[in-house]
Every structure is written in structure tokens, then in C-alpha cells.
Amino acid sequence: MTKNENAVWSSPTPLFDLTGQDEMPYADAVKKHAEQNKINLMVPGHSGSNEAGAHAIADYFGDRIAALDIPLMIEGIDLGSESPMMQARRLAAAAWGAHKTWFLSNGASQANRTAAIAVAGLGKNVIMQRSSHSSFIDGVLAAGLKPSFISPSVDYKNGASHGVTPQALEEQLAAADEPVAAVYVVSPSYFGATADVAGIAEVAHRYGAALIVDGAWGPHFGFHEKLPESPVRLGADIVISSTHKLAGSLTQSAMLHLGKSEFTERLLPYMERAFSMTSSTSQSAILSVSLDIARHTLVNGRANIGKSIEIANDLRDRIRLHPHLAVLDDTFREFDDIVATDPLRVAIDVSALAHDGHWVRGYLQTEHNIFFEMSTSTVIVAVIGAGARPSVERIMVALDDVVHAAGLRDGAHISEQFPELPAPSELVMLPRDAYFAEIELVSAAEAVGRISADSLAAYPPGIPNVLPGEIISKDLVEFLSAVATSPTGYVRGAHDSVVSKYRVVKR
């Protein structure tokens, strides 16, 4: 499904130079180092030798794991501008269409914090999608940014938040009282909904703002003609890429891409320094190796990615034929912000069943050893990695069983829907100032009219309902209380599970 020809490839031929993409310079260098007959008188403490100290590690993980676990600053591996590490990063930048790429060992959360700190060099005012990841809000606090917010479209029935349109962004930029330095949007959403990044980038740039795209859930974009295009190539200035999610690297590894635009040279020094501030001085070689391998696999694995897409589409087609299940992305045409869908995300509507999506997901784990990525009260979401080949037959057998075990919902029963989101409150203090202010703990009733010191987000759909520095409204308190006391909702960041108390700025 696509509404925008710029959202997907127009040709099966990769839109980047394949020179060197059949190599894995960093992975090969680490492997060569590990195979040497050496004595390590340095960290890590297991010494990299099964005989000398890593026997327990080897017994658990295998013989090679400790030898590959090497520290930073090794000649021939990561030292120097022409090191294998730098070669691997340049190949990654070419693969995703970036000017420069950084390897991260603290996930996309590190990328979000790095991006927030970096764009502070352009100015303090940012417009951010209200459903942004909490790690970007952490970066806003750390960098002292002044945010304003743009709301995504929300599927209230299914607890799913999606994206924003170029038109909505233009209206907000045009109405801004002060120049906006950067815009932050999320694409794709947790459910695979992809926004018009090219259109959003054009609008942001026309108003002199850099565009940050949280593409954490789309690290595989741009590597097959049936996938949406890489947001870097669509004009984004900074792209967060959680490579481990669908692109095959190890958990907690990620990439951060700096795009090619009028902002590149201005952002580059801030990105370099922000990366130094947020990265570990003991970055994992094993995680970095997995990033090099993942890039190599994506670039050279078009046929395997295509097979994964075929499997995902087969699963979709079978679910569409099921009398009691449905495919959520068949409803995406109702949302103007969605221009394409990630085919490797299969969201299954289970609202016809007598048990909710959380029960369904748990049943599939315990009874069939099948683990879905997430659930809401009405949906379970399957994530199929680029190159993965799960058994559709086994999945459908399990789904048939869970439908039988759950039973069907009484026709008179109305599926659970959370109340409409309260309107965002006025921001009266910088989030950083409110977060670090002297605070006090008050009851929910006493919190009305006070300044929040916390970021609170109701799940589902996970949109931050109040941030540090915003006024707590009566509608907000009632909404969060309703969510927290519902069977399938909770409030992230709350002082207690039923949100009976709030942390507020002391008067």
C-alpha cells in the first residue's frame, strides 16, 4: 500500500553505490585480532582467553565470544581516520544515503539523546511529535530545549498513534512566535505506518528548520523495492536507526545518520561532540561488529528480504480470510498522514475475541512458544525481521487455537476504548528547569493547576500527556486516573500505579 511515489523505490536497483559493500572491514579486523596468539594485559577482565580467565564466559556463550570482546583503541581496528571502524561507518553511510554515520552501543535511545543535544546548537526552539520516544524527551531536558508539540493521528479504538502530515507541520511552523530550529517526527510508527517524510522535510527546510526523523522501527527501509525508502534519502537531516529491531544486528546496537542537506556542515560539529558526550568509552566491539554485519547483509540480501516480505504478506492474506481476525493496516487508508506501510509489521485485530490482546499475546507465548512484539487491548503486533523466515503454518495453527480458547465477544459488548486525550497544557517553564526544580509530592486533586515535574504517558497509546514545565489540568488528572485503573492501561512515569499523587514544582 502506498499513497506517495517518493515513499518507495521506483526500481529494484539499489539507489546507492555498491562499491565496497561486499566487505565487512570492522568485523574482519576484529576476527583477525581475536585469532592471534596473544596475552592480554588490559581490559576486559576475562582476558579474552578461555584458558586464562574466560572459561565461564566460553562455557555459556561459546569459545569465540570472549576473544571477540575487545576494548577500544586497538591499532588496526579502530584507531585513525582510515581504520576498519571508519571504513565500516563510511560503508554504512553510503548504504543508508547519509553524509556520516555513527555506530552506537546504547540503542536508539542514545541516538535520540545525541540528536537532541546536537540540534541545540541550531537554536532552542523545537517542534516535536507528541508521541515521541521518552529518550528524546530526556535529550530535551539535557539540552535545555524549548519544545512545542504537534499531535499525531491516533486510532483510539486500537490504541495506536501514527504520524503527522506536511500540512499540519506547515500550519504549526507558520503560527510559531519564534524561529524553530528543528522538527522531530516519528516514522514509521510502532504499527508500521509511514509518514510523508519527503513532504515533511520540504516544509521544515522551507521554514529554516532541520528535520529529525525517529526511524527506529525502519532501519531496513531502502533495501528493497517493496519497502519504504530510507528517510535519509527523503531529505531528513538526522535519522535515528534502531538497527537491531528489524535489520539483524544485536540487541542494543543502533546507528545515527547525518543526512545531506543545507544543515550538514552546521550540524556535523555538534553531532560529533554530542556523540562523544553520550557514547561509552568502553563501546562493545561485539555490538559494533554486528552493525557491520547487518549492513553487509541488508545490502547484499535483497532476495532474502523479498522472501521475508512474501512471508509477511502471506500471513496477512491468511488473516484476512479468517472469520474472526483482521489486519490493522487495512484501516490505514483512513489516516491522511500514512503514505506507506512497512510490510514486515503485521498488526492483527483481535477485537472480535472475548479476551483482550494482552491475554491473546500471553496465551500464544505460554501455549505455543510464539512471541509477538506487543499488544494493545485489541491488537497484537508481529515483527518479521528483514531476512527472517517464520513458519506461517505454525502461526496460523496457533492463532486458530487462541481464537477457540478465547471464544468470541458477546455482540452486545463494546470493545474497550480509552477516553479522548486531553488537550496539551500550557508550557510555563522550560522542561529542564521544571525537572531540576525543587519539587513536592501532592495528591491528584491538589495537583490541578500546578506545574508538573514529570513526564507522564498513558499506555495505550503511549503519547506523553504532560511534560515537565506544563500545567496539570483537571481533564488530565481524570484521564490518567481512568487509564491507570482500567484493566489494560498504565501510566509511565507516574509516582504510583493508580496515579494518586503527582510530583510538582514547589511553590
Side-chain angles (χ1 to χ4, degrees), residues 124-128 130 137 140-141 144-150 172 177-178 423-435 449-455 464-473 505:
K124 296 294 184 183
N125 296 311
V126 298
I127 292 176
M128 54 186 289
R130 190 76 194 196
I137 296 171
V140 167
L141 296 174
L145 296 176
K146 182 180 179 182
S148 57
F149 302 97
I150 185 167
Q172 185 132 348
D177 294 331
E178 300 176 292
S425 297
E426 181 185 3
L427 185 73
V428 296
M429 291 180 67
L430 283 180
R432 178 186 177 92
D433 293 342
Y435 184 84
R450 301 290 298 275
I451 302 171
S452 176
D454 285 328
S455 173
N465 306 109
V466 67
L467 296 181
E470 289 184 335
I471 297 292
I472 298 169
S473 68
V505 175

Side-chain angles (χ1 to χ4, degrees), residues 192-358:
T194 304
D196 181 4
V197 172
I200 292 170
E202 190 278 326
V203 171
H205 292 166
R206 185 153 35 88
Y207 282 83
L211 175 63
I212 306 168
V213 173
D214 182 352
W217 284 99
H220 53 304
F221 282 12
F223 291 94
H224 193 278
E225 65 272 16
K226 292 183 179 179
L227 292 173
E229 176 58 292
S230 162
V232 188
R233 289 197 181 85
L234 294 177
D237 300 289
I238 300 175
V239 174
I240 285 81
S241 181
S242 192
T243 322
H244 72 89
K245 284 186 167 64
L246 282 95
S249 64
L250 293 177
T251 296
Q252 204 170 312
S253 61
M255 294 186 191
L256 179 61
H257 305 295
L258 174 64
K260 301 175 181 178
S261 75
E262 63 265 37
F263 290 97
T264 301
E265 294 305 318
R266 290 176 61 193
L267 280 170
L268 182 57
Y270 297 120
M271 294 282 283
E272 293 280 17
R273 290 191 290 168
F275 172 73
S276 296
M277 183 184 295
T278 60
S279 64
S280 172
T281 55
S282 302
Q283 182 163 323
S284 168
I286 292 172
L287 294 184
S288 296
V289 162
S290 78
L291 289 168
D292 198 18
I293 294 172
R295 183 269 315 160
H296 178 272
T297 304
L298 284 173
V299 172
N300 297 285
R302 178 178 170 275
N304 287 332
I305 297 171
K307 182 62 178 177
S308 297
I309 294 171
E310 289 177 11
I311 289 171
N313 286 333
D314 182 27
L315 177 59
R316 269 189 190 82
D317 289 341
R318 296 199 195 194
I319 291 167
R320 289 185 179 112
L321 294 174
H322 198 286
H324 307 303
L325 301 173
V327 176
L328 183 66
D329 53 85
D330 286 345
T331 69
F332 283 1
R333 63 180 64 89
E334 301 170 12
F335 299 91
D336 291 340
D337 59 284
I338 302 175
V339 299
T341 301
D342 179 6
L344 296 180
R345 212 83 49 85
V346 184
I348 304 171
D349 184 343
V350 297
S351 59
L353 306 188
H355 286 281
D356 66 25
H358 306 299

